Amino acid sequence: MIETLVVIVHLLVAIALVGLILIQQGKGAETGASFGAGASGTVFGSQGSATFLSRLTAALATVFFLTSLGLAYYASHKAGEIRDAGLPVPALQSQPVAPISEDVPVLEEQAPQAPVQDDVPVLD
């Protein structure tokens, strides 16, 4: 229940964060005007007080990171429950290994002869 709520909050915050970042104007937006305009000292200087949008972006980023950590905790907790319950973990199941003797080439003289099967008719 709470995990579903955290996922919903995480998705809403992610969408809001992307939208909020896209509507903000970048720091170097006046860079093109500064060449020859004499205002190059203010382009990369101190910004002064943070705007409402930048504070809201920082708050949403903090909530996003906290929900990410919460989801990581829930995932590790569920993995521990699966391990403790004795259920097989799909990632840890080993594949059957072929015997080494099949991987080694054998000369025809050393190969064991297969028994002759008499159920195949011989063509004359």
Side-chain angles (χ1 to χ4, degrees):
M1 168 67 184
I2 191 139
E3 183 181 1
T4 305
L5 181 66
V6 173
V7 168
I8 291 171
V9 169
H10 187 73
L11 285 174
L12 291 176
V13 168
I15 292 169
L17 194 58
V18 168
L20 195 60
I21 289 171
L22 288 175
I23 65 170
Q24 290 184 32
Q25 185 177 3
K27 260 187 176 180
E30 297 102 18
T31 306
S34 68
F35 294 111
S40 62
T42 61
V43 173
F44 298 108
S46 64
Q47 186 177 356
S49 63
T51 64
F52 172 73
L53 291 178
S54 65
R55 288 183 184 176
L56 186 60
T57 303
L60 286 177
T62 303
V63 172
F64 181 80
F65 287 129
L66 290 175
T67 56
S68 296
L69 290 173
L71 290 172
Y73 171 75
Y74 286 129
S76 68
H77 186 66
K78 281 190 176 184
E81 286 178 358
I82 289 174
R83 184 183 62 241
D84 294 340
L87 298 174
V89 179
L92 299 178
Q93 290 179 349
S94 63
Q95 298 294 328
V97 179
I100 296 176
S101 63
E102 292 179 7
D103 293 339
V104 179
V106 178
L107 296 175
E108 290 180 14
E109 298 93 31
Q110 297 174 346
Q113 295 295 325
V116 178
Q117 304 252 343
D118 291 336
D119 58 343
V120 179
V122 178
L123 295 174
D124 291 330

